Amino acid sequence: MTNPVLDGLARARHSAVHLEMRDAYQPSDPEFIAWQTGKRLDPAADRSSWWRPFLDVVTETTARGVVMRRARIVSEPVTDYIKYEHDVTFPNVAAGELIRWLPRRKAADIPLPGTDLWMFDGSSVLFTHFSGVGGVVDREWRTESAVVSMVSSAFEAVWSRAIPHEEYKPV
């Protein structure tokens, strides 16, 4: 079975943007559970101790000149899951991904899509539909110009207000 995100990244020529808007994802994720019990990644440790297979994809994608940007809209005070995401984001940055965080209160006047998404080369959008507890239920490709335009406007508005990962401190 193919992964639509990996497919989109493999085809991307110049840009890939990812908008995340949930405060929790897949609470049964073993890595999240390990983090809750005290496991932490050490940036100074051997890279193999914190490198994940997806980061090879990020490195390969950005090496081709594709700019990868991820924006996360988060409620404050943040959930434990968002604390976890923030704590384990440094490998994504090391792999070449640009990441910013936007407190939800600063996004109140931005027209946003109803779910998380990826957009590739400003021409195709991959929406991810989740269950109430944060498990992936379905994904949906959309290429209509009105959808792409709405997603592009929303992402750029979020990006312009968001705080770079290195500067954001979860509240």
Side-chain angles (χ1 to χ4, degrees), residues 16-164:
V17 302
H18 189 187
L19 181 60
E20 296 180 353
M21 299 181 284
R22 294 184 56 89
D23 288 319
Y25 298 87
Q26 302 179 353
S28 61
D29 175 7
E31 289 300 315
F32 174 54
I33 293 168
W35 181 88
Q36 287 179 304
T37 60
K39 177 185 176 186
R40 296 297 183 267
L41 302 180
D42 180 359
D46 176 21
R47 186 178 184 141
S48 66
S49 71
W50 48 259
W51 199 256
R52 301 180 306 272
F54 178 71
L55 300 176
D56 290 330
V57 175
V58 173
T59 301
E60 292 163 8
T61 302
T62 58
R64 292 193 328 264
V66 175
V67 177
M68 287 185 67
R69 297 183 294 162
R70 180 187 308 243
R72 293 177 169 144
I73 299 174
V74 296
S75 299
E76 292 179 330
V78 300
T79 63
D80 280 349
Y81 196 91
I82 295 302
K83 288 177 188 172
Y84 158 72
E85 276 196 330
H86 188 271
D87 195 47
V88 299
T89 291
F90 75 87
N92 293 68
V93 173
E97 192 174 357
L98 305 171
I99 300 176
R100 293 186 181 181
W101 303 79
L102 183 63
R104 194 170 308 281
R105 71 181 180 282
K106 294 184 178 183
D109 62 342
I110 299 173
L112 295 167
T115 192
D116 290 16
L117 61 92
W118 283 86
M119 182 169 62
F120 303 99
D121 294 329
S123 62
S124 61
V125 176
L126 177 63
F127 289 114
T128 303
H129 301 288
F130 296 92
S131 68
V133 296
V136 174
V137 174
D138 196 13
R139 290 196 166 103
E140 173 187 14
W141 284 102
R142 302 287 296 271
T143 58
E144 303 94 326
S145 61
V147 172
V148 170
S149 178
M150 179 271 298
V151 165
S152 181
S153 293
F155 184 86
E156 294 305 328
V158 168
W159 189 258
S160 71
R161 295 181 189 186
I163 302 162

